[in-house]
Amino acid sequence: MTSQSSFFPVFSRTLHLNAKSLEDIDSLGLTPQLEQMTKAFGSIPDEKIRYKQLLYMANQLKPMDPNLMTPENKVPGCLSTVYVECIPEKKMNDETGEEVTVMTYVGDSDGLLTKGLVALLIRGLSGCTPEQIQKVSPEFISVAKITQSLTPGRNNGFLNMLAVMKNKASKYIVTTDGLDDDDDDDDDGRDDKSLVSSSSSQEDEKESSSSSSGDDVTQQDDAIITSFEEKPGKPMYNEMMSSLLKLKPTQLLLEDNSDQHAGHAGSKGWEESGESHFQLTIVADAFEGLSLVKRHQLIYLVLGDTMQKIHALQIHAKAPSEV
Protein backbone atom coordinates (compact mmCIF):
# COMPACT_ATOMS: atom_id res chain seq x y z
CA MET A 1 0.00 0.00 0.00
CA THR A 2 1.21 3.52 -0.74
CA SER A 3 2.34 5.27 2.43
CA GLN A 4 0.54 8.34 3.73
CA SER A 5 3.73 10.41 3.56
CA SER A 6 4.12 9.79 -0.19
CA PHE A 7 1.11 12.01 -0.79
CA PHE A 8 2.75 14.91 1.03
CA PRO A 9 6.35 15.71 0.17
CA VAL A 10 5.56 19.25 1.26
CA PHE A 11 4.28 18.22 4.67
CA SER A 12 4.49 14.86 6.46
CA ARG A 13 3.24 14.14 9.98
CA THR A 14 1.32 11.61 12.04
CA LEU A 15 -2.38 11.76 11.22
CA HIS A 16 -4.71 12.79 14.03
CA LEU A 17 -8.39 13.01 13.10
CA ASN A 18 -11.08 13.49 15.69
CA ALA A 19 -13.98 11.05 16.03
CA LYS A 20 -16.39 13.34 14.20
CA SER A 21 -14.11 13.51 11.15
CA LEU A 22 -13.71 9.75 11.04
CA GLU A 23 -17.46 9.33 11.34
CA ASP A 24 -18.00 11.74 8.48
CA ILE A 25 -15.51 9.90 6.29
CA ASP A 26 -17.23 6.56 6.88
CA SER A 27 -20.50 8.00 5.59
CA LEU A 28 -19.10 9.52 2.39
CA GLY A 29 -18.78 6.34 0.31
CA LEU A 30 -15.14 7.03 -0.53
CA THR A 31 -12.82 4.79 -2.50
CA PRO A 32 -9.78 3.53 -0.55
CA GLN A 33 -7.42 6.01 -2.26
CA LEU A 34 -9.82 8.91 -1.82
CA GLU A 35 -10.35 8.08 1.85
CA GLN A 36 -6.60 7.96 2.40
CA MET A 37 -6.07 11.35 0.75
CA THR A 38 -9.04 12.90 2.57
CA LYS A 39 -7.58 11.85 5.92
CA ALA A 40 -4.16 13.15 4.91
CA PHE A 41 -5.43 16.55 3.72
CA GLY A 42 -7.71 16.86 6.74
CA SER A 43 -4.77 16.35 9.11
CA ILE A 44 -2.92 19.40 7.80
CA PRO A 45 -3.55 22.40 10.09
CA ASP A 46 -2.21 25.01 7.66
CA GLU A 47 -4.34 26.10 4.68
CA LYS A 48 -1.25 27.26 2.79
CA ILE A 49 0.31 23.80 2.99
CA ARG A 50 -2.87 22.17 1.67
CA TYR A 51 -2.79 24.68 -1.18
CA LYS A 52 0.86 23.84 -1.94
CA GLN A 53 0.05 20.12 -1.93
CA LEU A 54 -2.63 20.63 -4.57
CA LEU A 55 -0.12 22.53 -6.71
CA TYR A 56 2.38 19.70 -6.25
CA MET A 57 -0.21 17.16 -7.39
CA ALA A 58 -0.97 19.35 -10.41
CA ASN A 59 2.70 19.32 -11.42
CA GLN A 60 2.84 15.52 -11.03
CA LEU A 61 -0.20 14.88 -13.25
CA LYS A 62 0.66 13.07 -16.46
CA PRO A 63 -0.06 15.06 -19.65
CA MET A 64 -3.36 14.31 -21.35
CA ASP A 65 -3.38 13.19 -24.97
CA PRO A 66 -4.39 16.32 -26.99
CA ASN A 67 -6.64 14.08 -29.11
CA LEU A 68 -8.79 13.54 -26.01
CA MET A 69 -9.29 17.27 -25.44
CA THR A 70 -12.59 17.32 -27.29
CA PRO A 71 -15.86 19.16 -26.58
CA GLU A 72 -17.32 15.85 -25.35
CA ASN A 73 -14.64 15.65 -22.64
CA LYS A 74 -14.76 19.29 -21.58
CA VAL A 75 -16.17 19.92 -18.10
CA PRO A 76 -18.82 22.68 -18.14
CA GLY A 77 -19.13 25.44 -15.56
CA CYS A 78 -15.44 25.71 -14.59
CA LEU A 79 -13.50 28.95 -14.30
CA SER A 80 -10.58 27.20 -16.02
CA THR A 81 -10.72 24.93 -19.05
CA VAL A 82 -10.92 21.32 -17.86
CA TYR A 83 -10.95 18.03 -19.76
CA VAL A 84 -11.49 14.55 -18.31
CA GLU A 85 -11.92 11.15 -19.91
CA CYS A 86 -12.06 7.60 -18.57
CA ILE A 87 -10.88 4.34 -20.08
CA PRO A 88 -12.52 1.08 -18.96
CA GLU A 89 -10.32 -1.90 -18.21
CA LYS A 90 -11.18 -5.50 -17.37
CA LYS A 91 -9.48 -7.10 -14.36
CA MET A 92 -10.01 -10.02 -12.01
CA ASN A 93 -11.46 -9.34 -8.58
CA ASP A 94 -9.00 -10.91 -6.14
CA GLU A 95 -11.73 -11.70 -3.60
CA THR A 96 -14.45 -13.14 -5.85
CA GLY A 97 -12.37 -14.31 -8.81
CA GLU A 98 -14.86 -12.60 -11.13
CA GLU A 99 -14.01 -10.27 -13.97
CA VAL A 100 -14.93 -6.65 -13.24
CA THR A 101 -14.63 -3.34 -15.06
CA VAL A 102 -12.50 -0.64 -13.48
CA MET A 103 -11.99 2.92 -14.68
CA THR A 104 -8.75 4.74 -15.46
CA TYR A 105 -9.12 8.52 -15.68
CA VAL A 106 -7.01 11.07 -17.52
CA GLY A 107 -7.44 14.83 -17.41
CA ASP A 108 -5.91 18.27 -17.62
CA SER A 109 -6.64 21.95 -16.96
CA ASP A 110 -5.05 25.26 -17.89
CA GLY A 111 -5.47 26.46 -14.28
CA LEU A 112 -2.85 25.14 -11.86
CA LEU A 113 -5.07 24.89 -8.76
CA THR A 114 -7.91 23.39 -10.80
CA LYS A 115 -5.41 20.94 -12.27
CA GLY A 116 -4.56 19.92 -8.72
CA LEU A 117 -8.23 19.12 -8.08
CA VAL A 118 -8.32 17.11 -11.31
CA ALA A 119 -5.22 15.20 -10.18
CA LEU A 120 -6.79 14.46 -6.79
CA LEU A 121 -9.95 13.06 -8.38
CA ILE A 122 -8.01 11.05 -10.96
CA ARG A 123 -5.87 9.51 -8.24
CA GLY A 124 -8.86 8.84 -6.01
CA LEU A 125 -11.20 7.32 -8.61
CA SER A 126 -8.90 5.46 -11.00
CA GLY A 127 -8.75 1.69 -10.49
CA CYS A 128 -12.29 1.61 -9.04
CA THR A 129 -15.47 0.10 -10.41
CA PRO A 130 -18.27 2.34 -11.73
CA GLU A 131 -20.40 1.25 -8.79
CA GLN A 132 -17.77 2.39 -6.29
CA ILE A 133 -17.41 5.74 -8.06
CA GLN A 134 -21.16 6.43 -7.96
CA LYS A 135 -21.15 6.18 -4.15
CA VAL A 136 -18.62 8.99 -3.65
CA SER A 137 -20.12 12.08 -2.03
CA PRO A 138 -18.65 15.48 -2.96
CA GLU A 139 -18.83 16.42 0.72
CA PHE A 140 -15.43 14.75 1.19
CA ILE A 141 -13.77 17.95 0.01
CA SER A 142 -15.07 19.70 3.15
CA VAL A 143 -13.78 16.95 5.44
CA ALA A 144 -10.42 17.29 3.69
CA LYS A 145 -10.60 21.06 4.40
CA ILE A 146 -9.81 21.79 0.76
CA THR A 147 -12.82 24.10 0.46
CA GLN A 148 -10.92 26.63 2.55
CA SER A 149 -8.57 27.12 -0.40
CA LEU A 150 -11.33 27.44 -3.01
CA THR A 151 -13.40 30.37 -4.20
CA PRO A 152 -17.11 29.66 -4.79
CA GLY A 153 -16.41 29.48 -8.51
CA ARG A 154 -13.71 26.83 -8.10
CA ASN A 155 -15.88 24.91 -5.65
CA ASN A 156 -18.61 24.86 -8.28
CA GLY A 157 -16.07 23.66 -10.82
CA PHE A 158 -15.06 20.82 -8.53
CA LEU A 159 -18.68 19.69 -8.25
CA ASN A 160 -18.94 19.71 -12.04
CA MET A 161 -15.71 17.72 -12.43
CA LEU A 162 -16.88 14.99 -10.07
CA ALA A 163 -20.33 14.90 -11.70
CA VAL A 164 -18.81 14.46 -15.18
CA MET A 165 -16.45 11.73 -13.99
CA LYS A 166 -19.31 9.86 -12.31
CA ASN A 167 -21.45 10.25 -15.42
CA LYS A 168 -18.71 8.79 -17.63
CA ALA A 169 -18.28 5.83 -15.29
CA SER A 170 -22.03 5.22 -15.07
CA LYS A 171 -22.08 4.18 -18.72
CA TYR A 172 -20.18 1.04 -17.77
CA ILE A 173 -22.50 -0.08 -14.98
CA VAL A 174 -24.06 -3.43 -15.82
CA THR A 175 -27.81 -2.88 -16.33
CA THR A 176 -30.62 -4.58 -18.20
CA ASP A 177 -29.89 -2.67 -21.42
CA GLY A 178 -27.62 0.13 -22.58
CA LEU A 179 -28.73 3.64 -21.78
CA ASP A 180 -29.09 6.40 -24.34
CA ASP A 181 -28.05 10.01 -23.74
CA ASP A 182 -31.41 10.97 -22.29
CA ASP A 183 -31.18 8.14 -19.77
CA ASP A 184 -27.71 9.30 -18.75
CA ASP A 185 -29.03 12.78 -18.08
CA ASP A 186 -31.82 11.37 -15.95
CA ASP A 187 -29.34 9.32 -13.95
CA ASP A 188 -27.26 12.42 -13.26
CA GLY A 189 -30.35 14.28 -12.09
CA ARG A 190 -31.28 11.52 -9.65
CA ASP A 191 -27.76 11.40 -8.31
CA ASP A 192 -27.59 15.15 -7.74
CA LYS A 193 -31.03 15.22 -6.14
CA SER A 194 -29.99 12.49 -3.70
CA LEU A 195 -27.04 14.68 -2.68
CA VAL A 196 -29.38 17.60 -2.08
CA SER A 197 -31.66 15.39 -0.01
CA SER A 198 -28.73 14.11 2.04
CA SER A 199 -27.42 17.62 2.60
CA SER A 200 -30.88 18.85 3.50
CA SER A 201 -31.35 16.25 6.21
CA GLN A 202 -28.10 17.32 7.85
CA GLU A 203 -29.15 20.95 7.94
CA ASP A 204 -32.81 20.58 8.96
CA GLU A 205 -32.11 20.86 12.68
CA LYS A 206 -29.90 23.91 12.22
CA GLU A 207 -32.43 25.69 10.04
CA SER A 208 -35.40 24.88 12.23
CA SER A 209 -33.63 26.32 15.27
CA SER A 210 -33.57 29.78 13.72
CA SER A 211 -35.91 31.91 11.64
CA SER A 212 -35.69 30.63 8.06
CA SER A 213 -36.32 34.02 6.62
CA GLY A 214 -34.91 36.18 9.39
CA ASP A 215 -36.35 39.39 10.78
CA ASP A 216 -35.03 41.62 8.00
CA VAL A 217 -37.29 40.44 5.15
CA THR A 218 -40.88 41.15 4.17
CA GLN A 219 -43.21 38.55 2.68
CA GLN A 220 -46.38 38.91 0.66
CA ASP A 221 -49.51 36.93 1.47
CA ASP A 222 -48.41 34.24 -0.99
CA ALA A 223 -45.20 33.82 1.06
CA ILE A 224 -42.84 35.23 -1.57
CA ILE A 225 -40.26 37.52 0.03
CA THR A 226 -40.35 40.92 -1.65
CA SER A 227 -38.01 43.13 0.38
CA PHE A 228 -35.45 43.23 3.15
CA GLU A 229 -34.01 45.68 5.66
CA GLU A 230 -30.66 47.01 4.50
CA LYS A 231 -27.75 46.86 6.94
CA PRO A 232 -25.63 50.01 7.29
CA GLY A 233 -21.98 49.48 6.38
CA LYS A 234 -22.70 46.13 4.71
CA PRO A 235 -22.80 46.90 0.96
CA MET A 236 -22.08 43.32 -0.13
CA TYR A 237 -24.81 41.91 2.08
CA ASN A 238 -27.27 44.44 0.72
CA GLU A 239 -26.27 43.73 -2.90
CA MET A 240 -26.59 39.99 -2.40
CA MET A 241 -29.99 40.21 -0.74
CA SER A 242 -31.29 42.52 -3.44
CA SER A 243 -30.11 40.11 -6.14
CA LEU A 244 -31.47 37.01 -4.40
CA LEU A 245 -34.97 38.51 -4.31
CA LYS A 246 -35.02 37.95 -8.10
CA LEU A 247 -35.42 34.23 -7.37
CA LYS A 248 -38.73 34.99 -5.57
CA PRO A 249 -37.78 33.00 -2.45
CA THR A 250 -40.22 31.87 0.20
CA GLN A 251 -37.40 31.53 2.72
CA LEU A 252 -34.22 33.58 2.70
CA LEU A 253 -31.50 33.81 5.32
CA LEU A 254 -28.07 35.27 4.57
CA GLU A 255 -25.54 35.11 7.40
CA ASP A 256 -22.30 37.10 7.36
CA ASN A 257 -19.56 34.98 8.98
CA SER A 258 -16.72 37.22 7.86
CA ASP A 259 -15.62 38.00 11.42
CA GLN A 260 -14.60 34.35 11.79
CA HIS A 261 -12.15 34.74 8.90
CA ALA A 262 -10.82 38.23 9.53
CA GLY A 263 -8.36 39.50 6.95
CA HIS A 264 -8.62 36.46 4.70
CA ALA A 265 -6.15 36.87 1.84
CA GLY A 266 -7.56 37.29 -1.63
CA SER A 267 -10.94 38.62 -0.63
CA LYS A 268 -11.87 41.88 -2.36
CA GLY A 269 -14.96 42.13 -0.19
CA TRP A 270 -12.90 42.09 3.00
CA GLU A 271 -10.63 44.81 1.70
CA GLU A 272 -13.58 47.01 0.74
CA SER A 273 -16.06 46.50 3.57
CA GLY A 274 -14.90 43.69 5.86
CA GLU A 275 -17.21 41.17 4.15
CA SER A 276 -15.83 37.90 2.77
CA HIS A 277 -17.62 34.76 4.05
CA PHE A 278 -21.37 34.12 3.88
CA GLN A 279 -23.81 31.28 4.52
CA LEU A 280 -27.01 31.26 2.48
CA THR A 281 -30.22 29.36 3.18
CA ILE A 282 -32.84 29.83 0.48
CA VAL A 283 -36.06 28.13 -0.62
CA ALA A 284 -37.57 28.98 -4.00
CA ASP A 285 -39.70 27.42 -6.75
CA ALA A 286 -36.85 28.17 -9.15
CA PHE A 287 -34.89 25.22 -7.71
CA GLU A 288 -37.62 22.66 -8.38
CA GLY A 289 -36.23 19.82 -10.49
CA LEU A 290 -32.70 21.25 -10.59
CA SER A 291 -29.62 19.32 -9.53
CA LEU A 292 -27.35 20.56 -6.74
CA VAL A 293 -24.83 21.88 -9.26
CA LYS A 294 -27.44 23.74 -11.31
CA ARG A 295 -28.94 25.34 -8.18
CA HIS A 296 -25.53 26.70 -7.26
CA GLN A 297 -24.97 27.90 -10.83
CA LEU A 298 -28.28 29.74 -10.76
CA ILE A 299 -27.37 31.51 -7.53
CA TYR A 300 -23.94 32.46 -8.90
CA LEU A 301 -25.61 33.84 -12.03
CA VAL A 302 -28.06 35.94 -10.02
CA LEU A 303 -25.32 37.33 -7.76
CA GLY A 304 -23.33 38.40 -10.83
CA ASP A 305 -20.28 40.61 -10.23
CA THR A 306 -20.68 40.39 -6.45
CA MET A 307 -19.40 36.81 -6.63
CA GLN A 308 -15.96 38.12 -7.56
CA LYS A 309 -15.67 39.80 -4.14
CA ILE A 310 -16.77 36.79 -2.07
CA HIS A 311 -14.13 34.44 -0.75
CA ALA A 312 -16.53 31.73 0.42
CA LEU A 313 -20.27 31.18 0.09
CA GLN A 314 -21.88 28.16 1.73
CA ILE A 315 -25.22 27.39 0.09
CA HIS A 316 -28.27 25.43 1.24
CA ALA A 317 -30.78 25.76 -1.61
CA LYS A 318 -34.06 23.86 -1.61
CA ALA A 319 -37.32 23.71 -3.49
CA PRO A 320 -40.54 24.17 -1.45
CA SER A 321 -41.35 20.47 -1.87
CA GLU A 322 -38.14 19.59 0.03
CA VAL A 323 -38.91 21.67 3.10
Side-chain angles (χ1 to χ4, degrees):
M1 179 181 291
T2 305
S3 66
Q4 292 276 6
S5 61
S6 67
F7 288 112
F8 296 93
V10 178
F11 178 83
S12 179
R13 64 188 291 270
T14 303
L15 301 181
H16 295 289
L17 295 179
N18 58 40
K20 184 177 186 300
S21 296
L22 289 173
E23 181 180 347
D24 290 342
I25 289 176
D26 292 340
S27 66
L28 296 178
L30 302 184
T31 66
Q33 282 274 29
L34 208 50
E35 179 174 338
Q36 187 179 14
M37 289 189 290
T38 299
K39 289 179 178 179
F41 268 100
S43 73
I44 301 176
D46 192 329
E47 177 185 343
K48 293 181 180 179
I49 297 178
R50 286 193 296 273
Y51 184 89
K52 289 180 179 180
Q53 178 59 30
L54 285 173
L55 299 186
Y56 173 82
M57 295 181 71
N59 289 323
Q60 296 299 307
L61 185 64
K62 295 180 179 179
M64 185 179 188
D65 184 347
N67 293 324
L68 295 177
M69 296 181 181
T70 62
E72 293 78 14
N73 293 332
K74 186 176 181 180
V75 179
C78 294
L79 296 177
S80 304
T81 302
V82 182
Y83 295 96
V84 293
E85 176 60 306
C86 66
I87 297 94
E89 179 184 356
K90 296 290 186 180
K91 64 174 290 186
M92 297 300 296
N93 187 308
D94 294 335
E95 296 181 358
T96 65
E98 298 178 349
E99 187 178 66
V100 296
T101 300
V102 297
M103 314 310 300
T104 298
Y105 286 94
V106 293
D108 204 351
S109 173
D110 59 358
L112 195 57
L113 181 58
T114 303
K115 188 174 181 178
L117 294 174
V118 174
L120 184 147
L121 288 173
I122 287 176
R123 192 167 189 170
L125 301 180
S126 290
C128 299
T129 66
E131 291 79 6
Q132 287 177 305
I133 293 169
Q134 299 310 307
K135 295 178 182 178
V136 174
S137 168
E139 294 298 323
F140 81 85
I141 199 171
S142 297
V143 177
K145 302 179 182 178
I146 296 175
T147 50
Q148 297 178 16
S149 301
L150 304 181
T151 63
R154 284 202 176 96
N155 184 69
N156 184 55
F158 164 78
L159 293 175
N160 289 343
M161 281 184 268
L162 180 58
V164 168
M165 295 171 83
K166 293 173 76 171
N167 178 41
K168 286 179 176 291
S170 70
K171 298 176 182 178
Y172 298 95
I173 294 177
V174 178
T175 55
T176 54
D177 289 301
L179 299 176
D180 57 26
D181 291 339
D182 289 337
D183 290 332
D184 286 341
D185 290 340
D186 290 342
D187 284 347
D188 285 345
R190 286 194 295 272
D191 184 64
D192 287 333
K193 288 174 185 174
S194 68
L195 293 176
V196 173
S197 177
S198 174
S199 174
S200 299
S201 63
Q202 297 172 6
E203 299 298 329
D204 282 346
E205 182 177 350
K206 178 178 180 180
E207 292 176 9
S208 62
S209 65
S210 61
S211 172
S212 297
S213 298
D215 297 328
D216 54 351
V217 297
T218 303
Q219 295 182 254
Q220 296 177 332
D221 292 338
D222 57 2
I224 293 177
I225 296 172
T226 58
S227 63
F228 69 98
E229 182 178 346
E230 293 192 0
K231 294 185 177 181
K234 297 291 182 180
M236 281 182 60
Y237 171 88
N238 296 332
E239 289 176 15
M240 293 171 69
M241 287 291 288
S242 180
S243 297
L244 291 167
L245 291 181
K246 298 175 183 177
L247 294 174
K248 298 181 179 179
T250 54
Q251 294 182 28
L252 178 59
L253 178 62
L254 182 62
E255 299 176 87
D256 184 353
N257 299 323
S258 304
D259 59 341
Q260 301 174 20
H261 310 270
H264 206 298
S267 173
K268 295 180 181 179
W270 177 266
E271 295 172 0
E272 294 179 2
S273 61
E275 299 170 278
S276 60
H277 291 65
F278 294 88
Q279 179 171 313
L280 171 65
T281 300
I282 183 170
V283 178
D285 285 329
F287 301 130
E288 196 72 59
L290 295 184
S291 67
L292 175 65
V293 171
K294 292 187 180 298
R295 294 180 190 200
H296 286 203
Q297 289 175 336
L298 179 58
I299 290 171
Y300 296 153
L301 179 64
V302 167
L303 292 178
D305 293 340
T306 309
M307 283 298 303
Q308 304 300 319
K309 303 178 183 180
I310 302 173
H311 186 84
L313 175 61
Q314 185 177 1
I315 299 174
H316 307 294
K318 301 179 184 179
S321 60
E322 298 168 334
V323 178

